[in-house]
Amino acid sequence: MSTRTPVGVPTYSEDLYSDAAILDPYPHYRALRALGPVVWLPGLEVYALPRYGEVRAVLADDATFRTGDGVSLNERYNTLLRGSTFASDGERHVFLRGLVAHELTPKALRPRRAAIETAAEALVERVLKAESFDTVGDLARSLVLAVVPDFLGIPVEGREHLIDWAAANFNCHGPLNDRARTALETAGNMAAYATRLVDERSPRPGGIAHCVLDALDDGKVDRDQAISLMLDYLAPSLDTTVTGLSTAIWLFARHPEQWDLVRADPARIPMAFNEAIRYETPVRQFGRRVAHDTEIAGVPIAAGAQVLVMFASANRDERKWDRPDTFDITRNPVDHLGFGYGAHGCAGQGLARIETHSVLAALARHVTRFEVGGERRAVNNVMRGFDTLPTRVRLS
């Protein structure tokens, strides 16, 4: 791509990947949306899409806007991702996703719900015995590590590193800044772990990871593709759920009247989680590569260009949402883009919802108020969440 600004396209020169912008991105999102539906970012040489309508349209058109060689903002990670479900398109993507899709349907997940609810209740009762706890480490991460590795069917050894590896994976999707360079080294450890899972055939039968081994045995994928598939389901299934759950509790601490609505009617929990994901979207943005000359909102985009699909900005778009900067669980935004949309929508969102709904339901039975303070946000190129969230509660 040329470094010259495209004619007629507004420009935004602020660094969206600086520490300050990561910690407080919303002024940048408002500025970008005000500039237009397509904005040129000269520092990254990409077209930013900050508004809801264009983001949803691009996600729906995976024939034009491809993840292969374009989902990350740096070529080193795009190269490493080649062959994965995450960075494949068209029939190949459908095929790879289909290898495990049957394990992620609502029908397949239904028998697991009772066990997850039991685990959530036990975990909540345990953490509530303490005077205070860390919502991120003691609650959200503990639940995810109690559920997801068994669901995947991976061995106990190595599980303690999964959350950190997942965070590194998301850091790698940013531009090749210092944060991404450091994360690439950590992500290499996750790749080595996935390689061992395949070569040592350590996943247990019945889990998602073993579906990958079955595909390898049947000649549907080769060894390298099997390793990529392992990585597909190790990282996204962990950090996004941790982030979504801990952020929801942070929001209820800041908006106790919304928690009162949940406690009065736990049937609101699904819509409350939708609103939390809309309001504080865990995955801020990903890239796409343009397959052929096209237009977005009347702006010509040449083949080979990269666009930045800004989920978090779209979920605060004034053109889509009434009072977008207000956390209101009664709105039930079922069409939010927090889990993506279209062919590359989050495959594991059903499991994430069961996990999160179960914890919130257990908390609603016991907790009248959350009090948080001293929280520390994670500084991550893609994920928006917390490293720690010290929490006290008032019990019913």
Side-chain angles (χ1 to χ4, degrees):
M1 290 265 325
S2 167
T3 57
R4 247 183 319 181
T5 301
V7 176
V9 181
T11 297
Y12 192 72
S13 299
E14 297 290 331
D15 181 5
L16 298 179
Y17 293 88
S18 70
D19 287 7
I22 287 172
L23 292 172
D24 186 15
Y26 297 108
H28 295 279
Y29 297 160
R30 284 191 291 272
L32 284 162
R33 292 194 301 269
L35 283 171
V38 182
V39 180
W40 178 248
L41 305 180
L44 300 173
E45 297 186 48
V46 302
Y47 294 92
L49 309 179
R51 296 181 182 177
Y52 182 92
E54 288 70 35
V55 168
R56 188 176 171 102
V58 163
L59 293 175
D61 185 3
D62 59 304
T64 303
F65 302 97
R66 318 282 278 181
T67 63
D69 294 324
V71 70
S72 172
L73 290 189
N74 71 83
E75 288 311 303
R76 282 182 61 184
Y77 207 50
N78 279 327
T79 299
L80 292 172
L81 288 171
R82 271 186 205 135
S84 66
T85 309
F86 201 63
S88 60
D89 300 287
E91 293 182 2
R92 184 61 182 171
H93 174 75
V94 172
F95 166 73
L96 292 173
R97 186 159 170 151
L99 294 175
V100 299
H102 58 284
E103 296 286 346
L104 297 166
T105 64
K107 181 179 180 180
L109 291 171
R110 200 171 298 129
R112 300 180 183 270
R113 181 181 294 273
I116 294 173
E117 290 173 346
T118 298
E121 179 68 36
L123 177 60
V124 166
E125 289 183 359
R126 185 167 71 249
V127 300
L128 293 184
K129 290 178 181 178
E131 183 178 342
S132 64
F133 59 91
D134 177 15
T135 286
V136 176
D138 298 330
L139 187 60
R141 288 184 178 178
S142 293
L143 178 77
V144 168
L145 288 176
V147 172
V148 174
D150 285 338
F151 178 69
L152 295 175
I154 60 177
V156 173
E157 182 183 357
R159 291 183 180 187
E160 67 275 14
H161 302 298
L162 290 175
I163 298 290
D164 290 336
W165 289 344
N169 167 75
F170 285 106
N171 258 328
C172 290
H173 283 288
L176 198 57
N177 51 20
D178 289 342
R179 203 176 296 116
R181 289 188 184 92
T182 300
L184 281 165
E185 297 178 13
T186 304
N189 295 328
M190 185 169 64
Y193 178 73
T195 300
R196 289 198 303 274
L197 292 179
V198 171
D199 290 346
E200 297 174 7
R201 305 190 61 82
S202 48
R204 63 164 174 76
I208 279 187
H210 207 275
C211 294
V212 175
L213 296 182
D214 290 340
L216 178 61
D217 290 342
D218 293 342
K220 296 177 180 178
V221 296
D222 60 26
R223 175 179 173 273
D224 289 344
Q225 291 166 336
I227 293 168
S228 291
L229 285 168
M230 288 290 183
L231 291 169
D232 281 337
Y233 294 98
L234 283 174
S237 60
L238 297 161
D239 218 33
T240 48
T241 306
V242 170
T243 299
L245 175 55
S246 54
T247 296
I249 292 172
W250 176 76
L251 286 169
F252 286 127
R254 291 167 58 90
H255 303 277
E257 78 287 351
Q258 300 294 309
W259 184 242
D260 288 341
L261 293 175
V262 170
R263 295 192 69 240
D265 183 8
R268 291 183 183 270
I269 288 174
M271 68 176 69
F273 185 54
N274 277 334
E275 175 66 353
I277 294 296
R278 179 201 70 83
Y279 188 81
E280 284 279 332
T281 304
V283 177
R284 298 190 302 139
Q285 53 224 14
F286 277 135
R288 294 290 190 272
R289 187 75 65 188
V290 179
H292 54 79
D293 290 354
T294 189
E295 289 188 357
I296 301 176
V299 176
I301 310 289
Q306 194 172 28
V307 298
L308 188 63
V309 184
M310 305 186 71
F311 311 107
S313 178
N315 279 336
R316 294 280 191 107
D317 187 358
E318 304 84 352
R319 294 150 197 81
K320 168 63 179 175
W321 314 103
D322 178 41
R323 300 172 298 113
D325 294 324
T326 298
F327 177 62
D328 177 8
I329 71 165
T330 66
R331 78 169 81 231
N332 193 21
V334 293
D335 51 350
H336 70 79
L337 302 173
F339 287 115
Y341 179 71
H344 286 273
C346 177
Q349 64 177 285
L351 180 62
R353 291 181 189 278
I354 294 173
E355 292 173 286
T356 306
H357 295 176
S358 297
V359 172
L360 293 177
L363 289 167
R365 289 191 285 272
H366 302 288
V367 175
T368 61
R369 284 290 181 270
F370 299 101
E371 299 171 1
V372 298
E375 61 266 33
R376 185 176 71 249
R377 279 208 173 269
V379 182
N380 188 286
N381 279 333
V382 171
M383 293 295 296
R384 177 165 172 80
F386 297 94
D387 278 335
T388 60
L389 182 60
T391 306
R392 292 175 178 266
V393 297
R394 278 186 260 163
L395 301 178
S396 55

